[in-house]
Amino acid sequence: MTATLEKPPPPLEKASLKHRLAERGVDRTLWLLVPGAIFVVVLFLYPVLYGLQLSFQPKDGGGPFGNYIKFFSDPYLRDTIWITLRLGLPAALINVLASIPIAFQLRGKFRGKRTITTMLVVPITLGTVLTAQGLIEYLGRAGWFNRVLLTLGVDEPIRLVHNYWGVLFSLVITGFPFAFLLTLSYLSGIDPSLEQAAATLGASRRDRFRHITLPLLAPGLAITFCLTFVLAFSVFPSAIMVGEPSGETHVMSIAAYETAFRDFDYSLGAAVAMLMALVMLAVIALVLVWRATLYRGATGGKG
Amino acid sequence: MSTGAARFAELHIDHVQRAFGDTVALRGMDLTIKGGEFIALLGPSGCGKSTALNCLAGLLPLTGGKITMDGKRIDDLPPERRGFGMVFQNYALFPHMSVRRNIGFGLSMRKVGKTELNRRVDEAIKLVQLTEHEHKFPAQLSGGQQQRVAIARAIVLEPPLVLMDEPLSNLDASLRLEMRTEIRRLHQSLGLTTVYVTHDQEEALALADRLVVLRLGEVQQIGSPEDVYAHPTNAYVAGFMGYRNMLRVTVESVDGENAVVTGEGVRLAGVNRESLPSGAAAVAAVRPEDFSLVVPNAASTENTVSAVVEIVEYHGREQAVEARLPSGEQLHVRTNSRLAPGDTVQLRVPVERVLIFAEGSSS
Ligand SMILES: Nc1ncnc2c1ncn2[C@@H]1O[C@H](COP(=O)(O)OP(=O)(O)O)[C@@H](O)[C@H]1O
Ligand SMILES: [Mg+2]
């Protein structure tokens, strides 16, 4: 004890400031965030801000909002919002809804689980181009599916590619693995004894799902929906390869690409990209507002 | 809680078996539970207690045997159709529901009317003294309060059988004692038939009307607390019931119920619990508190052992002493006398307090 008393007391002011900052999580480890921050600024913030200011400088004049006025007065451009939403929302919804029962079946431990999970996740590694090729093989006019239909006596081959459906299929195939993996991990976070407890209290399988699992899973499903929606909303290659890029699947990313790199109107292209981001943010904001009304605490049994 | 629960007369657990792959967690359990009884399943971790409870609740399908309630077979019913209340070790409270909704969940699943539901939930909340906390969520409650919610949630349905899986093991020591009394009080006032799982012999002895001691999935002994405490059937049960001293001996002679056993520097008479023949390898089980100190140079040294004191722990009125026998075996002794490390002591134990078991049935 005496040894510490003999030492000169540390400068009180400085120590307490450091202490107060540390209490708020401010200390030297914060420097570790610097590389990440630089990365965000260089690769994300700068292009966004650059694009934003570019979009307010129309090539053909017409005031700062010229590009935006042009976008909304041209039906070919304006309709891309609806076209993209019409693809992105159902695709995200299908992916989330399909992943629930499958993740539900696969959450326990059993033999062959790894094989099945791997098979479900493989489409991630295929990439959109291979998926598109496969879709054309299977669902095209001369594809296997139609050949089977024709031999079964159907008169006309059904058009399932090079239109809306082709793109939707492709979005489901590429988006489902993400939705499934996310849902599975959210589901694994729910303590199985909660469902057992509900069962001993007389809840049937359906009641257990409705009153226990689903409410605890819902916040995770909201996040899953947002992620697969963002993936689907920015669809580009499959909208061209298995869609009808100048008509039914003239999505926003194609519009942005065409204006910027075919018509060389970078400024209008930037405006389309900004609107694309805005629509996505609006949808995500809506979902997150709904999510905020849900229970979002721990999903373990101890509360 | 005014009306008695739906009672059964007898529940038969008939050679119930449960295996997980190659490991057999429960080997042919036989037990008959009478309505209103409080049964404790006692055994160390991994002996199959939870497995037995989950089999009863319907959460685990049996791999053999059957369960009948008043002659009706119930082991093929899913848990929601058995209607047994269960209190889980981790409470398993629904984190997204308030205390009220947690407790009312079972009633609403049974489509009980709103006024009836509210009345019964109110009653249950009052019974476990959570009235001020009824609108809180589980995460806002202390461990003891969560425990009460779990119990209230299980008993509000007045189930024919309440199953409790180590309900007190997550609580600190003083709260554990308090809740133990609470559980006993609830059982006495409601008369709910209860199967209570614990690894704590004190808890089991304090609560149960009947004890079932398990070991590696096998029932070792079934009996009243007094019976199991005083007359364990084998060395394993004895070890669990506080017979901490297990001296390795050989049976020298048999005389009716009793036998004389000898070990290195030890010669004791005791009760021959397993009717061992002379010459058999055995253990002599003695409780630490059954030893008494013999005054030095006493005339009789009948049924005594001599040992050297090594460690003395002060426990208030008593001392816990660890001593060493001439054979090198350790001896646990509780005594009121003041001893010091290094003392050589002569310890006497009454013949009826020495239990002789076959070797190898302990641990
Ligand atoms: N789901 C399971 N899969 C495989 N083995 C299990 C499972 N549950 C329990 N066991 C095994 O069964 C035995 C008994 O377990 P349990 O009933 O949980 O013991 P206790 O509740 O008495 O601690 C243990 O050896 C355990 O490893
Ligand atoms: Mg257990």
Side-chain angles (χ1 to χ4, degrees), chain B residues 20 23-25 43-52 60 165-166 197:
Chain B
F20 297 99
T23 48
V24 184
S45 175
C47 72
K49 306 181 298 290
S50 297
T51 305
L60 270 180
D165 193 354
E166 311 210 22
V197 158

Side-chain angles (χ1 to χ4, degrees), chain B residues 1-3 118-128 156 158:
Chain B
M1 303 278 128
S2 43
T3 63
N118 279 329
R119 186 184 62 76
R120 285 172 71 175
V121 170
D122 281 337
E123 228 174 309
I125 289 178
K126 213 158 80 197
L127 199 65
V128 295
V156 72
E158 297 178 2

Side-chain angles (χ1 to χ4, degrees), chain A residues 285-297:
Chain A
L286 275 179
V287 175
L288 292 185
V289 164
W290 171 71
R291 183 178 180 269
T293 64
L294 303 171
Y295 170 84
R296 281 161 303 148

Side-chain angles (χ1 to χ4, degrees), chain A residues 4 19 40 79 105 113 149 169 172 174 178 189 225 232 268 295:
Chain A
T4 48
H19 190 91
V40 167
D79 288 351
Q105 289 301 318
K113 174 174 175 167
L149 283 187
F169 285 137
V172 168
T174 49
F178 288 102
F225 179 88
L268 181 58
Y295 170 84

